[in-house]
Amino acid sequence: MTTIEQLSALTQILAQRNLHTLFQPIISLSERRILGYEALTRGPSNSPLHSPVPLFAVARQNARLSELEVASRQSACRRFSELQLPGMLFLNISPETLLEPEHQPGRTLQLLQTYGIAPAQVVIELTEQAPIEDFSLLHTALHHYRSMGFSIALDDLGAGYSSLRLWSELRPDYVKIDRHFIDGIHLDAVKREFVGSILKMAGASRAQVIAEGIELPEELAVLADMGVDLLQGYLFSRPLDQPSSDIHALLPKLDTSAAQLTEEACDLSALLNRQVAVNDSALIAQVLEVFRAQANLNSLAVLNEQQQPIGIVHRNSLASALLKPFATDLFARKPISRLMSDDFLVVEQNQSLQQVSRLLTSRARQRIEEDFIITQDGLYLGLGRVIDVLKLITELKIQQARHANPLTLLPGNVPIQQCLTRLLQQAREAMICYVDIDNFKPFNDIYGYGKGDEVLLCLAQCLSARIDPSCDFVGHIGGDDFLLVLGSEDWRKRLNCLQEDFQGQCRRFYRPEHLQAGGFSSHNRQGQQQDFPLLSLSLGVVHLRPEACAHLDASQLAEMASQAKHHAKAVPGYSLHILDTQTVLDQSPSSVARAS
Ligand code: C2E
Ligand code: MG
Ligand code: MG
């Protein structure tokens, strides 16, 4: 399309106000509710300017961005109000239009009034499409929006020219992590580090993090595990003309089996207090009676007719509401829905303790004496206490530390054994890899134990970087022996990359003459001088098949992995030897039993 054609298409769209708005939900995992919807503009479906990217680009080039912004915002507010969508309205705004002299800040407020949307419901999303030159002007413009009651989100964090500077200058209420960092996060340790750092910065600056562009359940599992609570992406819903407002329809079932290889397979049953709940039509006087009768009751859940939690009453807040003059008389015969809070944490019983702990710490307003609600398939089961979560987590941390390898801090033999046992119990297909460094002993002799430790740390890091935390496991048996459990299908590719990574990373440890010669000379186990090649990996792999699980125990499995490693060790340099549990069983089922 020529520039002239583009301009004419744009002019026509603006003249006829031929724009429409799609909405994509943003959900809160911890609260199992829809936080709000992002409004996304579309040109006419038959136009080359249907997608907002070329549409806004052409408007920008032709100095008609403000006009398009105003029209888009109007369409978004009108549709949001027509559809009666619940929660917040997220509006995209190009920052440069805020800086234009003809910009009229009062116009948005007017628009909201027309459509009956409260300013507190609106979040302004800023994306940086061009470098921002005047930060102080932008600051002023945003201050103006804030004073009108809007919240601010920084969109596409990590994609713009000065995302971090914008973050620190504007102190947004929300930051939306750019899709790039979410795409394939389960396969990429560096992306996980980025998101982890963003979460830390957000914690310090009291911003809430939204992850956009979630397409795969594996990505969701990793994000949920890291404690990212606000989520948006095709996995839940594409942007739609009439999006769903039913959270149960949007939320895919979280696969909690993911965390179970690395963590104690504990669900929340240990935390569950089967406290009765009340219906939302219960009278405040009745609720008071329940609290009076149970002196140690912190909180009481309020349910709808389907037994789904819709609110919570905490002892403290009820007491302070009723302490006001005449309050008891005024409220006694009113339903509890008048005094309940709708800001509460709900978790599913099969979520892991770690997930719940992360959700609790990510909640800005969580108080220790306020209980959270535990559900099963969305239906009320009972309450959980924050203090119990803290106790269990502390115990778990102490136990993990006790069983970790002191050098690499990776799980040691006890958790390795537990992991293998769980694998067998769950009858999962997996590759169990015994990882051993070739020529580590002579390397240690020449370079000393300090350097040797550095090599072990380097391998631990390479291993951790190559695993998918949603389905893999890495442990340190001791010395230069590690154990890797890979549940992912692309295990062979991962192992090849691991070898390359390790050899590349190790180059910094060698003296130049050894690097050049491709090896070093040292005493062998018999005390004679011998030439050794540079460090490499021997990988003994056991292909565990679900059918074989019933016939094996954890120590037999470990023994097979060690056998596979011995085969691999017999081959000089990098080598990989695979033993298949099926063939071993086929040949002689009793030989496996004897191998123990
Ligand atoms: P954005 O604000 O970052 O919006 C998110 C984009 O990601 C949307 O593209 C959405 O459809 C897409 N998306 C959401 N979930 C997924 C997912 O799981 N996978 C993938 N691959 N994509 C996903 P869309 O609607 O094409 O919008 C593109 C950009 O155009 C927006 O990026 C926003 O910067 C801009 N835009 C859209 N509407 C407006 C508007 O009214 N005003 C302004 N200033 N910009 C707008
Ligand atoms: Mg956006
Ligand atoms: Mg975005």
Side-chain angles (χ1 to χ4, degrees):
M1 200 170 55
T2 64
T3 328
I4 300 197
E5 282 165 341
Q6 283 177 340
L7 181 58
S8 110
L10 176 72
T11 310
Q12 209 175 15
I13 291 173
L14 287 173
Q16 298 170 351
R17 294 257 156 166
N18 206 347
L19 290 168
H20 68 280
T21 311
L22 304 183
F23 293 94
Q24 190 180 30
I26 301 172
I27 63 175
S28 158
L29 196 59
S30 67
E31 296 175 20
R32 305 220 154 211
R33 71 180 177 98
I34 298 171
L35 172 74
Y37 294 83
E38 176 171 4
L40 294 158
T41 303
R42 295 286 180 270
S45 54
N46 54 1
S47 158
L49 300 186
H50 174 63
S51 156
V53 180
L55 176 66
F56 282 82
V58 169
R60 181 172 287 112
Q61 283 154 17
N62 293 286
R64 301 194 65 178
L65 190 59
S66 285
E67 239 177 296
L68 177 63
E69 288 282 355
V70 170
S72 301
R73 215 169 305 165
Q74 177 168 22
S75 158
C77 293
R78 183 173 53 77
R79 276 304 278 166
F80 188 77
S81 153
E82 277 171 7
L83 292 167
Q84 300 205 312
L85 291 174
M88 317 276 272
L89 170 62
F90 287 73
L91 289 172
N92 288 287
I93 289 183
S94 315
E96 58 256 57
T97 59
L98 297 180
L99 307 182
E100 284 171 9
E102 65 269 29
H103 173 68
Q104 303 168 3
R107 213 153 42 173
T108 309
L109 215 50
Q110 243 171 23
L111 194 63
L112 293 174
Q113 226 158 27
T114 312
Y115 293 109
I117 303 169
Q121 261 180 292
V122 174
V123 184
I124 305 281
E125 281 194 19
L126 292 174
T127 329
E128 194 189 15
Q129 262 121 9
I132 289 171
E133 270 144 28
D134 197 338
F135 278 89
S136 64
L137 205 56
L138 189 61
H139 204 282
T140 314
L142 278 183
H143 182 71
H144 191 82
Y145 268 126
R146 276 221 164 96
S147 66
M148 294 192 284
F150 302 147
S151 303
I152 308 294
L154 187 58
D155 201 358
D156 304 330
L157 181 78
Y161 301 87
S162 42
S163 299
L164 287 183
R165 170 144 188 213
L166 274 176
W167 187 347
S168 93
E169 298 243 355
L170 306 180
R171 296 300 168 112
D173 307 274
Y174 299 90
V175 288
K176 301 185 79 173
I177 307 177
D178 188 60
R179 211 167 63 221
H180 165 77
F181 297 101
I182 307 302
D183 180 23
I185 188 166
H186 57 300
L187 305 175
D188 191 331
V190 177
K191 288 185 179 176
R192 293 196 288 276
E193 286 291 329
F194 269 105
V195 172
S197 314
I198 290 173
L199 283 171
K200 275 204 197 112
M201 289 190 282
S205 71
R206 298 195 169 272
Q208 286 186 268
V209 174
I210 302 176
E212 343 182 59
I214 304 167
E215 294 184 2
L216 302 173
E218 291 86 348
E219 293 164 349
L220 170 62
V222 169
L223 291 167
D225 211 40
M226 295 182 76
V228 182
D229 187 40
L230 301 178
L231 311 160
Q232 181 182 1
Y234 292 171
L235 181 65
F236 310 106
S237 166
R238 287 188 172 252
L240 294 174
D241 190 36
Q242 296 190 30
S244 169
S245 52
D246 173 13
I247 184 70
H248 300 287
L250 296 176
L251 212 55
K253 274 215 179 320
L254 263 185
D255 180 12
T256 45
S257 64
Q260 290 178 359
L261 270 189
T262 42
E263 292 168 348
E264 271 297 329
C266 53
D267 61 14
L268 303 181
S269 36
L271 292 174
L272 179 67
N273 298 314
R274 290 194 180 269
Q275 171 63 46
V276 289
V278 291
N279 203 276
D280 55 347
S281 56
L283 298 182
I284 290 174
Q286 293 170 317
V287 172
L288 259 177
E289 216 26 68
V290 180
F291 275 103
R292 274 203 196 107
Q294 273 180 269
N296 63 349
L297 185 70
N298 287 342
S299 311
L300 197 61
V302 182
L303 312 181
N304 64 12
E305 300 216 320
Q306 290 80 43
Q307 299 300 300
Q308 292 158 335
I310 52 168
I312 199 160
V313 188
H314 300 296
R315 179 181 287 273
N316 287 350
S317 33
L318 184 66
S320 39
L322 293 180
L323 275 176
K324 299 205 177 101
F326 313 113
T328 323
D329 296 338
L330 254 169
F331 280 126
R333 309 230 36 90
K334 298 273 184 323
I336 189 60
S337 50
R338 291 280 297 272
L339 278 188
M340 72 186 189
S341 155
D342 60 1
D343 176 26
F344 55 91
L345 176 68
V346 192
V347 295
E348 275 282 300
Q349 193 192 13
N350 62 0
Q351 278 184 271
S352 76
L353 187 63
Q354 283 80 352
Q355 281 174 337
V356 175
S357 149
R358 282 181 209 119
L359 288 174
L360 282 169
T361 41
S362 72
R363 273 170 64 85
R365 289 177 301 274
Q366 182 68 45
R367 298 172 63 157
I368 196 146
E369 71 279 7
E370 295 182 350
D371 297 347
F372 56 93
I373 296 178
I374 302 178
T375 55
Q376 188 169 26
D377 297 327
L379 303 184
Y380 179 77
L381 268 191
L383 296 172
R385 296 205 157 175
V386 179
I387 191 82
D388 292 341
V389 175
L390 296 181
K391 271 190 209 153
L392 280 179
I393 281 284
T394 314
E395 273 169 32
L396 212 67
K397 284 252 151 71
I398 293 174
Q399 212 173 53
Q400 271 171 1
R402 198 182 298 139
H403 293 148
N405 179 285
L407 175 67
T408 57
L409 303 181
L410 287 174
N413 287 312
V414 175
I416 288 176
Q417 186 89 5
Q418 287 168 343
C419 163
L420 295 180
T421 307
R422 271 197 286 279
L423 262 184
L424 293 170
Q425 279 168 352
Q426 294 166 3
R428 270 210 233 174
E429 177 153 12
M431 308 309 278
I432 293 129
C433 318
Y434 199 119
V435 181
D436 182 288
I437 306 178
D438 304 318
N439 313 317
F440 186 62
K441 188 180 173 305
F443 176 90
N444 247 336
D445 291 344
I446 300 182
Y447 284 88
Y449 284 96
K451 269 276 179 295
D453 282 355
E454 281 186 52
V455 169
L456 295 177
L457 281 169
C458 167
L459 176 55
Q461 207 172 28
C462 293
L463 287 165
S464 305
R466 279 295 153 204
I467 65 161
D468 172 352
S470 71
C471 58
D472 301 341
F473 169 89
V474 60
H476 190 168
I477 299 169
D480 64 335
D481 294 353
F482 292 77
L483 193 98
L484 198 57
V485 176
L486 297 177
S488 22
E489 274 174 22
D490 59 347
W491 60 272
R492 197 181 279 275
K493 190 172 132 220
R494 283 168 192 266
L495 292 180
N496 289 337
C497 295
L498 170 70
Q499 162 71 7
E500 278 169 29
D501 262 12
F502 176 69
Q503 285 196 317
Q505 297 272 342
C506 277
R507 293 176 72 81
R508 63 191 146 110
F509 299 124
Y510 306 116
R511 291 181 206 142
E513 64 268 27
H514 292 160
L515 201 54
Q516 204 173 20
F520 43 80
S521 169
S522 176
H523 294 292
N524 63 15
R525 288 177 201 263
Q526 287 75 40
Q528 296 148 340
Q529 197 72 17
Q530 190 186 329
D531 286 336
F532 294 95
L534 298 178
L535 301 174
S536 58
L537 297 178
S538 282
L539 305 174
V541 180
V542 178
H543 185 167
L544 176 65
R545 295 183 183 272
E547 311 82 78
C549 288
H551 304 279
L552 287 166
D553 66 24
S555 48
Q556 289 167 335
L557 199 54
E559 173 58 27
M560 281 185 77
S562 151
Q563 278 174 18
K565 178 206 66 167
H566 284 298
H567 286 293
K569 276 292 226 203
V571 180
Y574 172 67
S575 61
L576 184 139
H577 187 92
I578 305 177
L579 282 182
D580 194 313
T581 46
Q582 194 53 51
T583 42
V584 176
L585 280 175
D586 288 347
Q587 280 163 3
S588 155
S590 58
S591 75
V592 177
R594 273 202 308 278
S596 66

